[in-house]
Amino acid sequence: MKKSATSYRRARVSEERISIKIRLKYSDVSLFQRRFSPYMSQYGMFLPTRHLKNKGTPLFFEFFLANNQRVFYGEGTVVQLYPPDRYPTAGLGIRFTALDQRSQQLLMEILAQQTQRSDLVPKLSPGVIQDLSDAAPATQAPPPTATGRQPARATAGTSKVPTQQPVASSNTAQPWNVGKPNAPETPATPPPAAKELPLFYGKESEIEETGPIIGIDLGTTNSCCAIVEGNKPHVIPSRYGYNTIPSIVAYDERGNLLIGHPAKSQMMLNPHNTVYGSKRLVGRKYHSPIVQIIKNRFLYEIIETEKGDSGVRIDQSNFTLQEVSALILTEIKEIAQSYLEQPINRAVISVPAYYNDNQRQAVREAGLLAGLKVERIVNEPTAAALAYGFGRSLNQKLLVYDLGGGTFDASVLQIHKDVYEVISTGGNTFLGGVDFDSRLIDYVLDRFYEEHQINLRHDAVKMQRIKDAVEKAKCDLSHEVKTDLIIPYIDLKDGVPLDINLTLDREVLNSLVQDLVEETVRVCDAVLSAQNLKPQEIDEVILVGGQTRMPLIHQRLTDHFGKPPHRNVHPDEAVALGTAILAYSFGQSGLIKLVDVLAMSIGIGLPGGRFKVIAPRNHKLPFEKSYTISTTRDDQTELEIVVFQGESSNVADNEYLGTMKLQNIQKAPRGKAKFDITFHLNNECILKITAKDLQTGLVKELVLSTRDTPEDLRQKLEMPAPAPAEAVPPPIPTQPTSHIPPIEDTPAPSGGGVLGWIKKLLGRR
Ligand SMILES: Nc1ncnc2c1ncn2[C@@H]1O[C@H](COP(=O)(O)OP(=O)(O)OP(=O)(O)O)[C@@H](O)[C@H]1O
Ligand SMILES: [Mg+2]
């Protein structure tokens, strides 16, 4: 049923009607179709914006391509609000009330594409939308402007859709370049011939040590940047006006590199070329048990880099995860430069307290690739404690409970005025909001299977739609006790489109994730008991990370600690604000003193695959300890030390950090060539190992060679071969190896008698 042009004109004179003009950054209609497809249905669309209008507000909307062609226009009514504090992408749900004929045609094409992708037959009801074909000519939307220091925010009448702006390929090796927020893009950028990343591949010494130091929380899901100005820390908004940017990097179908919001908005259509959650993989060996277990959970391809690390393959090119993280840091750097109107060369970056040495090194490398000198790596809970306590002259024992998208950290700190001392720390780098989502996804998939006997797990696009909807439902359930999870046309059976349509209540969600919450409480208890502390001895529990908005977590912690958690720290911003405070303190000596501890023991592999701790967990940083090793064969010219991090007595369960090689040892009878090996951990927990030749007095700094494969390690450490899936393997006879040197029981300079039991072990050999 088409409405007449006359009635359309009558409708337009309504005084309350709001006009929204959206100017896109490209001139290609097919790109509009692809980008907006996830947001369109036959009845209406989702319009990303932070400028929300009341429900029921009538709208007149126009989308323009970069060449000024009006591509989609019509009228609608606001039917749903997605406020920024509750949804990852804020916006308006609009029901179409009128569309011009070309826009109707375009909408039908978009719906047809959606259905092709999910093998559905579209059912467009023509009567729903009116015809606007003879409507008023398009007025050109004014180009977006950047005013003063504020990054352009999404406002009606300016470019507002955070899906359109490919990242400027500024080369950070060159002098800085203040990005213009929302600057109009040259239309029709040709796809790049080869993947040249806008990264800096030079040395740290080439970066100037000038300009302000920014603080960066490089999160699994979202990243956040902050600065101290006028003695107060505050967040620097993204180029779209958000306080955080999604930690997502993608190549779109035209080869454009997208970072942050633009990458997130196209994720549903392009899941194989969109990298998210890279923080869980960065600095991890490809062959580590963890990567082998989780690699198939990602929709993009995880590969092994030349160095044996985990990397990713997107759009037919291979990248290291340092490069992926660096792209997110580059975006942050550009936002900060644009906001502060000066070059940014230095940053403090936070990492989970539970990150191992490789992961910390990887973040440093990522910082350098982004053209940033990383002034300090700081643990996230420590940064959150700084945001809580800075300038308040407190004397308190805090527990920082940080449950973000991908990691959980619990740390106990003693704040005494400006001294922040970590007493105990622990966590799990594989526990976060995504695990809560996974439980709910499984629940939804099971219900769908029960009803229709269809397994949706193998379709990446459908899974991405489900993930998106489930995460939104999970967040809704932090504010409401019930919510509807509706995903229209998720599949087709016997020619009939099938929807997911479930009412979820908070109780169901709570029951699905109860054990995850219990695991966090167990970690808190372990962190407390490591220092003989009881829950009642904690003065305040600070909640950090988006997932802590869940009421079940508040309830459980209130029960456990006998008091409700502190509410005045912003869960999304505290870590970034703390990094900014620390950065600020560098210019003012004595402003803040941080004393941190080692979150996970570091040690060496011994014959039989055992693990000997050299630096124990919770030891104060900096740390230094030495021991002596000697050759085991006549004329031996090479010695190796295999380093691991973790709490298991079995190296196979710990994270392999690398192998130290002592080469070109002067030939001598066995046991004559001796070395003092010293483990140094600096105050940001980065490991350096030195070897002093006791014959010559020469000191060598050892470099972690990271190329040992699991099989190399197995042989070096005389570990049994891994069990085949079903059969029990015959025992492997252990042969003494010449690679792994014995440790002498002569007292070490600072470490004390290393290991009576090693002697016993050696005695057995
Ligand atoms: N209202 C809410 N209720 C429940 N969970 C929420 C809510 N808002 C956000 N989350 C969840 O919080 C997580 C993101 O939190 P955050 O942005 O703090 O993570 P992150 O800092 O990127 O991750 P990490 O600190 O682990 O590296 C997501 O899993 C998201 O679903
Ligand atoms: Mg976080």
Side-chain angles (χ1 to χ4, degrees), residues 399-459:
L399 182 130
V400 180
Y401 178 104
D402 182 353
L403 188 60
T407 55
F408 173 64
D409 272 336
S411 296
V412 178
L413 289 103
Q414 177 71 52
I415 305 185
H416 184 69
K417 296 205 170 140
D418 300 322
V419 180
Y420 293 74
E421 181 176 356
V422 181
I423 302 173
S424 182
T425 192
N428 184 340
T429 41
F430 281 91
L431 176 57
V434 290
D435 303 292
F436 287 62
D437 299 347
S438 295
R439 294 293 173 85
L440 202 48
I441 290 168
D442 286 344
Y443 175 82
V444 169
L445 292 176
D446 288 351
R447 297 291 80 74
F448 191 82
Y449 186 83
E450 273 168 20
E451 206 179 325
H452 305 292
Q453 288 72 54
I454 295 176
N455 182 358
L456 298 174
R457 282 174 202 276
H458 306 297
D459 185 316

Side-chain angles (χ1 to χ4, degrees), residues 89 126 632:
T89 309
T632 52

Side-chain angles (χ1 to χ4, degrees), residues 337-357:
Q337 289 185 157
S338 171
Y339 181 86
L340 297 166
E341 296 180 329
Q342 55 182 312
I344 297 295
N345 301 317
R346 298 179 293 164
V348 170
I349 304 179
S350 61
V351 296
Y354 223 52
Y355 250 20
N356 67 34
D357 184 67

Side-chain angles (χ1 to χ4, degrees), residues 530-550:
Q531 297 296 343
N532 294 322
L533 289 167
K534 302 221 157 32
Q536 309 81 276
E537 290 174 72
I538 297 297
D539 298 310
E540 286 287 2
V541 176
I542 307 293
L543 298 186
V544 184
Q547 188 60 48
T548 62
R549 292 193 175 95
M550 186 180 194

